[in-house]
Amino acid sequence: MEDDLVVVSNRGPVSYRVDDGGDLVARRGAGGLISTLGPALAARARAAGRGEAAGADTWIAAAIGEGDRKAAANGPVDSQGVRVRLLAVDEDDYRAFYDVISNQTLWFAYHGLDNRSLTPSLGRSWHDAWEAYVSVNRAFAAAVAEEATDGATVIVHDLHLSLVGGFLAQDRPDLATAHFAHTPFCWPDGLAVLPAGARRQLLEGLAGHGAVGFHATRWERAFLACCAEAGVGAPSTFVAPAAVDPDDVGGVAAGDECARHLAQLDELAGDRRLVVRVDRMELSKNVVRGFSAFDLLLEEHPELVGEVLFLACCYPSRESLPEYAAYRRAVVAEAARVNDRWGPVVHLVTDDDFPRSVAALCRADVVLVNPVRDGLNIVAKEQAIVNRRHAALCLSPQAGVWEELGEAGALAAPPFDLVGTADALHRALTMGADERADRASRVRAAATARTPADWLALQLTAARRPAG
Ligand code: F6P
């Protein structure tokens, strides 16, 4: 049935760890995809009167760690009205699929992170990893084919699973499929790092879906340009920026944990104003240049020393990859350099504590979001919902969310230009109260104009639109 829905993604809404007694302990899955898609599916379940009981919707996700693999063997579970099936694949194939192809190759190409003089460098092991990527995608397509009822709708999420729609088009042509990309897409020159065969397979796999969606028009244009250059027939495309559920993040902001962190932040900041950033410890987030720009701000405006504290909440990400370990060291070193120069002006926290991150966004006077490139950037929307001080948003025009929030009142923080970023921070710290309030309310209105349910509805409509 068309209304039956199968969603597919690498991370699922629930993940498991094995506790000391050998029991499985469930917790909410991590990451931005979960915090946007989870509420959208829960709202759909509530609207269908399913409440906590799983109904027609199924979410297929990878069994990532040991706990997930054990849980996968016990069969599907219910999570907020959705039936969740964790799919366990060969562990070596999974590492090649996730680390080598998804994170080191596609992520780097889509975000323009390669240092082309040295990376990527695609030896035999890379070609083997590509075969593993294909085979994991095939396994996901087979799982969908098992789960999906006749004529059901299937939405495949994120760069890990680009090829699922191509396999389904062959095996289950009755299904209405869409792929949704949570990352940027790159222009043909960026995709040229892939061997021609893999490049074609990637584009044909994406084009095998009934429709392909993006958070921003610029990524849609880049994808269409890649299809045109490779001579791959482009599928129907759509743009649907993800939305944040105000109740979800607002609930955390109203909670006791957040209140405790707010009290600690008040003590830490004292009378100083707070510049805040909240990110994964991630190369594309541009944390190092953010600190360098703050250093320049203090150099050019020494009157701000002692007046402003930069609180950076950078929680761990992809720690098994050497590129991420090196980036973390660079972030810590740059924060230390700035503090050596000016005293304790940068406060960097590197553990994962979501209520503390939300407290930081509540208390911020300025929020810096300066990625070198970002599919959307959900923090820019979250801060607009929870902030209590009319924070000024300094936002990279290279973030997909710029298309929604740039015009609405964010200040441009050009990601590679330290002078431009320092100027944006200065303007954010010195503008009058009326302008701050006006910009913050316009950013908030734009950030909350759509709901997660609207976002999901656009995906369903795109998947079900007749081809042609
Ligand atoms: O934004 C793309 C994405 O893959 C999200 O789905 C995910 O939340 C985030 O990056 C973090 O990636 P990972 O799942 O590798 O931790």
Side-chain angles (χ1 to χ4, degrees):
M1 272 168 57
E2 181 186 87
D3 198 44
D4 289 352
L5 174 62
V6 179
V7 297
V8 196
S9 62
N10 175 49
R11 284 193 193 266
V14 58
S15 74
Y16 293 86
R17 69 179 172 82
V18 184
D19 73 8
D20 294 342
D23 292 326
L24 289 176
V25 182
R27 60 176 170 202
R28 175 169 150 159
L33 184 148
I34 305 306
S35 64
T36 48
L37 195 54
L41 288 174
R44 192 176 129 90
R46 281 195 303 276
R50 293 203 296 272
E52 288 301 309
D57 294 350
T58 298
W59 189 331
I60 302 175
I64 295 176
E66 187 202 347
D68 284 1
R69 289 177 167 274
K70 288 201 162 145
N74 299 335
V77 294
D78 295 356
S79 172
Q80 297 188 69
V82 179
R83 185 169 161 275
V84 180
R85 173 173 169 191
L86 295 179
L87 181 67
V89 296
D90 176 84
E91 280 187 60
D92 290 339
D93 279 0
Y94 183 78
R95 293 264 52 104
F97 150 91
Y98 178 69
D99 287 340
V100 180
I101 303 301
S102 303
N103 290 340
Q104 287 177 310
T105 305
L106 298 179
W107 184 273
F108 272 54
Y110 293 164
H111 289 83
L113 295 176
D114 281 310
N115 158 15
R116 291 256 189 128
S117 58
L118 291 171
T119 63
S121 179
L122 310 181
R124 177 57 58 203
S125 65
W126 185 89
H127 286 260
D128 293 345
W130 178 258
E131 289 312 315
Y133 180 81
V134 174
S135 101
V136 173
N137 271 259
R138 197 188 292 277
F140 269 89
V144 174
E146 269 168 41
E147 300 289 347
T149 55
D150 274 358
T153 303
V154 179
I155 314 281
V156 183
H157 285 265
D158 227 349
L159 76 172
H160 318 88
L161 298 168
S162 311
L163 313 181
V164 170
F167 292 125
L168 289 176
Q170 290 160 13
D171 300 344
R172 287 291 305 271
D174 59 298
L175 301 175
T177 64
H179 186 277
F180 192 85
H182 287 259
T183 56
F185 210 81
C186 54
W187 293 84
D189 174 57
L191 213 58
V193 296
L194 295 183
R199 189 163 65 235
R200 170 163 282 275
Q201 216 171 348
L202 178 79
L203 292 169
E204 285 179 348
L206 286 165
H209 297 82
V212 177
F214 299 89
H215 287 304
T217 54
R218 73 178 72 182
W219 317 138
E220 178 192 46
R221 285 202 306 273
F223 170 66
L224 291 172
C226 287
C227 288
E229 216 233 17
V232 170
S236 142
T237 56
F238 64 102
V239 174
V244 175
D245 180 1
D247 292 340
D248 206 35
V249 66
V252 177
D256 293 345
E257 274 290 278
C258 189
R260 193 171 60 77
H261 284 297
L262 270 170
Q264 287 174 359
L265 282 183
D266 279 340
E267 211 168 299
L268 175 76
D271 293 337
R272 290 178 292 180
R273 280 173 294 160
L274 274 190
V275 175
V276 167
R277 74 174 309 138
V278 173
D279 289 297
R280 289 190 298 117
M281 189 68 90
E282 159 61 52
L283 287 73
S284 64
K285 301 295 183 184
N286 209 18
V287 184
V288 174
R289 287 194 195 88
F291 291 155
S292 308
F294 186 65
D295 177 46
L296 186 60
L297 170 79
L298 298 183
E299 184 179 304
E300 296 190 341
H301 302 281
E303 70 281 5
L304 289 175
V305 178
E307 296 285 316
V308 187
L309 175 68
F310 191 157
L311 170 60
C313 306
C314 299
Y315 53 95
S317 182
R318 302 180 189 167
E319 291 193 303
S320 57
L321 295 183
E323 293 89 341
Y324 283 70
Y327 191 70
R328 182 192 172 99
R329 288 195 294 276
V331 166
V332 170
E334 184 62 357
R337 186 189 70 77
V338 178
N339 283 338
D340 279 350
R341 188 169 182 203
W342 303 108
V345 293
V346 174
H347 188 77
L348 171 64
V349 290
T350 58
D351 56 330
D352 190 2
D353 187 331
F354 189 57
R356 183 183 56 206
S357 296
V358 172
L361 295 176
C362 290
R363 173 65 176 72
D365 297 284
V366 176
V367 177
L368 177 63
V369 177
N370 66 324
V372 297
R373 204 183 280 172
D374 209 337
L376 182 74
N377 194 285
I378 219 68
V379 171
K381 291 191 174 185
E382 288 172 337
Q383 67 83 28
I385 292 166
V386 300
N387 182 262
R388 299 168 187 176
R389 296 165 77 98
H390 301 309
L393 174 62
C394 295
L395 179 61
S396 165
Q398 299 303 319
V401 76
W402 178 261
E403 291 185 4
E404 292 170 277
L405 306 187
E407 290 278 302
L411 298 167
F416 306 102
D417 178 8
L418 302 187
V419 173
T421 301
D423 286 350
L425 290 172
H426 186 249
R427 178 133 164 63
L429 287 162
T430 54
M431 73 174 61
D434 289 350
E435 184 183 352
R436 277 168 67 90
D438 174 54
R439 283 179 181 268
S441 91
R442 285 189 289 127
V443 167
R444 183 186 164 88
T448 53
R450 290 175 226 193
T451 64
D454 298 332
W455 176 57
L456 181 61
L458 288 172
Q459 296 168 46
L460 297 177
T461 306
R464 292 168 185 161
R465 199 178 294 136

